[in-house]
Amino acid sequence: MAELAYEETFDCVQCGYCLPACPTYLTMGKETHSPRGRINLVKMAAEGHISYSELEGPINLCLGCRACEVVCPTNVQYGKILESAKEVIRENKRETKTITKRAKLFQEFVFDKAMPSKKILSTAGTGLALYQKSGLQKVARKTKAVNILPENLRTFEKILPTVEGPTQRKKRAEHYPAELKPAFRIGFFTGCIMDTMFSSINTQSIKLLQRAGCEVTVIKEQTCCGAMQNHSGATEITKKLAKANIAAFEKYEFDFIVNSIGGCGAQLVEYDHLLEHDPEWVDRAKQFAQRNVDISVILGQLRLPFEKKMNKVVTYQPSCHMSNVQKRVNEPLELLKSVPGITYLELPNKNMCCGSAGIYNIVNYEESMDVLDEKMKHVKKVSPEVVVTTNPGCHLQMKVGVEREGLSERIEVVHIVELLAEACGVE
Ligand code: SF4
Ligand code: SF4
């Protein structure tokens, strides 16, 4: 039986320092939608003063960005409190049958079958690539057939990246030798959605690591990191995926396990917390988590062979999970600033979430757009040519922001790896 992290709620002294850091408090203006308010509600639910269903609304509207955690003077473990609440709410809905059988089956299929399955994801990727390359997308847009989609899906359809077809995706080998004596032996974590929608960024990441002098291996046994499942309270499925990844990577002697996905990276570095009560796995999880780093950490330590000046005005939108969970604040920024010809402009209040937050922007579309609108006020002030991101979710969300503001002719949104690849002449 899941339990609320009741003891942890007592670390909150209700000081309110977290309020200005919280995007949902800023946009919704309600105490119940602030970190302090949510912690209080979890405490009240644990004491039986409110029901789990009363807790559900404010918890579901939390982005899970964990900006509150880094500003909290008493080190409240907000992530732990939030995850416990999500798990309890999920279990309660199943027990009280307030979730329909169909919704339950659909969730289980997506979390437990589709996301961890390379076959299903590859079929989905092929479907998307066909939609884009066969001309169907153009026809659907021209005839306004896309208008049958609900607004949230219509918005994201507009900014879909060009998905690689099955032949291009199959080209990826398992082993990539270093171009020089290897500086590091890297196990590359591809992610599930990333490797379907943004597989070219994974390919460029591997090539950049090779150029920087690393030996890279992409092991086939790896699976989805479990972030989406964890954020939805499906803790048991998350644990199963974590164990599969740990077992897969520990067979090899890698110096580091590297990814280019801020959100997945945050889940991977917290496998030790996830499995802290499992004596068989806790040490293995710790070793796995310690070796996990974002690509910017490795590329920042090595010398990248830049070949051209980029001559672009760029700003950087950090991924919350990269900054607040992985605690990688400077590495991506320093790496970005090292690109020749870059003029870097700081985005005011850059640590505020963009509103992407996994599938928050799909399930809580309007609230997510309110958060995004705040972000775009700053982007418009800075007026860059390029917005650089480090996570596919933020990448899509910032593209939506640029599109909503009618700025897509002037502002490009790229993953840091794409910018580095261009500057190094990597295709
Ligand atoms: S979570 Fe931390 S910062 Fe926020 S009210 Fe509680 S103690 Fe203060
Ligand atoms: S995780 Fe983000 S949205 Fe949720 S309470 Fe903390 S700061 Fe607010």
Side-chain angles (χ1 to χ4, degrees):
M1 243 333 256
E3 273 179 24
L4 290 169
Y6 179 58
E7 291 303 322
E8 285 75 2
T9 62
F10 285 91
D11 294 333
C12 175
V13 295
Q14 302 282 305
C15 66
Y17 281 3
C18 53
L19 300 187
C22 176
T24 58
Y25 182 67
L26 176 80
T27 53
M28 298 173 196
K30 287 187 193 166
E31 176 68 17
T32 48
H33 294 63
S34 75
R36 182 176 67 184
R38 290 181 174 115
I39 293 167
N40 219 7
L41 289 175
V42 169
K43 190 188 271 177
M44 286 165 73
E47 291 169 351
H49 300 305
I50 61 166
S51 66
Y52 294 145
S53 47
E54 284 171 280
L55 182 62
E56 190 179 344
I59 288 295
N60 283 352
L61 285 175
C62 170
L63 291 149
C65 67
R66 290 168 64 174
C68 46
E69 221 176 72
V70 290
V71 296
C72 174
T74 62
N75 295 323
V76 170
Q77 295 176 64
Y78 182 80
K80 198 169 177 182
I81 297 172
L82 176 69
E83 274 159 24
S84 75
K86 292 220 164 160
E87 193 182 0
V88 165
I89 290 166
R90 186 172 193 263
E91 269 191 13
N92 178 59
K93 281 175 92 168
R94 288 170 167 241
E95 267 164 33
T96 54
K97 301 202 176 18
T98 41
I99 177 167
T100 62
K101 206 171 167 196
R102 198 183 283 180
K104 194 169 143 187
L105 286 174
F106 178 71
Q107 255 192 22
E108 256 153 39
F109 171 74
V110 173
F111 289 164
D112 203 15
K113 299 278 181 302
M115 292 180 72
S117 162
K118 288 204 172 65
K119 216 170 162 185
I120 297 177
L121 286 175
S122 169
T123 310
T126 304
L128 260 179
L130 266 177
Y131 170 69
Q132 292 178 328
K133 289 179 185 136
S134 64
L136 199 61
Q137 185 178 43
K138 274 193 193 141
V139 176
R141 286 179 180 177
K142 208 169 172 182
T143 58
K144 303 213 181 324
V146 282
N147 289 353
I148 57 164
L149 293 172
E151 192 186 349
N152 53 356
L153 298 184
R154 215 163 55 229
T155 304
F156 284 91
E157 193 279 340
K158 274 191 207 152
I159 52 91
L160 272 182
T162 308
V163 177
E164 286 190 326
T167 329
Q168 279 161 302
R169 271 183 280 129
K170 267 191 192 138
K171 273 188 197 153
R172 182 164 317 127
E174 199 165 342
H175 190 71
Y176 297 80
E179 291 181 6
L180 308 159
K181 183 177 177 296
F184 298 124
R185 283 159 306 168
I186 303 287
F188 190 76
F189 183 83
T190 54
C192 55
I193 308 280
M194 180 79 169
D195 215 33
T196 308
M197 305 265 296
F198 295 96
S199 56
S200 59
I201 298 180
N202 272 345
T203 306
Q204 287 173 331
S205 301
I206 294 167
K207 288 182 182 170
L208 284 172
L209 286 164
Q210 266 187 302
R211 287 268 173 106
C214 299
E215 181 183 290
V216 187
T217 306
V218 187
I219 57 171
K220 300 268 184 253
E221 305 91 322
Q222 62 181 298
T223 186
C224 165
C225 68
M228 212 84 98
Q229 292 82 347
N230 205 29
H231 301 324
S232 305
T235 314
E236 285 314 311
I237 300 176
T238 317
K239 286 182 180 169
K240 192 170 94 180
L241 296 172
K243 289 176 185 176
N245 276 323
I246 295 166
F249 280 91
E250 69 187 1
K251 283 192 206 141
Y252 301 81
E253 290 199 352
F254 296 128
D255 299 309
F256 294 102
I257 299 164
V258 174
N259 67 80
S260 306
I261 327 157
C264 300
Q267 182 63 49
L268 299 173
V269 300
E270 291 210 320
Y271 274 1
D272 51 345
H273 296 308
L274 182 73
L275 297 168
E276 66 187 346
H277 300 301
D278 190 329
E280 193 198 327
W281 286 90
V282 64
D283 289 335
R284 293 162 73 179
K286 249 182 222 157
Q287 283 182 21
F288 177 90
Q290 278 163 3
R291 282 187 298 157
N292 253 288
V293 284
D294 184 77
I295 191 165
S296 59
V297 177
I298 300 297
L299 295 181
Q301 281 179 27
L302 302 170
R303 193 182 287 268
L304 265 180
F306 292 116
E307 288 181 2
K308 80 173 202 194
K309 279 192 167 189
M310 295 304 288
N311 296 330
K312 286 184 176 168
V313 180
V314 305
T315 195
Y316 170 53
Q317 166 55 38
S319 136
C320 302
H321 284 147
M322 175 100 97
S323 307
N324 305 334
V325 184
Q326 295 193 57
K327 307 278 193 290
R328 299 296 181 184
V329 178
N330 293 326
E331 289 89 342
L333 193 51
E334 292 310 315
L335 185 61
L336 176 61
K337 287 180 184 170
S338 74
V339 177
I342 287 291
T343 304
Y344 171 70
L345 297 179
E346 179 99 354
L347 195 60
N349 210 2
K350 70 178 189 310
N351 295 332
M352 187 71 85
C353 180
C354 63
S356 161
I359 50 168
Y360 188 99
N361 50 5
I362 305 283
V363 293
N364 298 308
Y365 177 71
E366 280 174 19
E367 292 80 1
S368 157
M369 292 302 120
D370 289 344
V371 175
L372 179 60
D373 289 346
E374 287 299 318
K375 178 64 64 187
M376 290 310 296
K377 282 182 196 163
H378 299 305
V379 173
K380 281 193 286 183
K381 237 182 251 162
V382 169
S383 193
E385 290 170 278
V386 184
V387 176
V388 175
T389 64
T390 51
N391 184 45
C394 315
H395 187 110
L396 292 177
Q397 181 81 345
M398 293 308 294
K399 277 187 94 164
V400 168
V402 166
E403 174 78 27
R404 272 163 72 87
E405 299 291 343
L407 294 170
S408 45
E409 299 289 309
R410 276 209 293 121
I411 303 181
E412 202 187 346
V413 180
V414 302
H415 190 287
I416 191 169
V417 161
E418 294 177 290
L419 191 82
L420 294 168
E422 195 184 337
C424 293
V426 165
E427 289 182 359

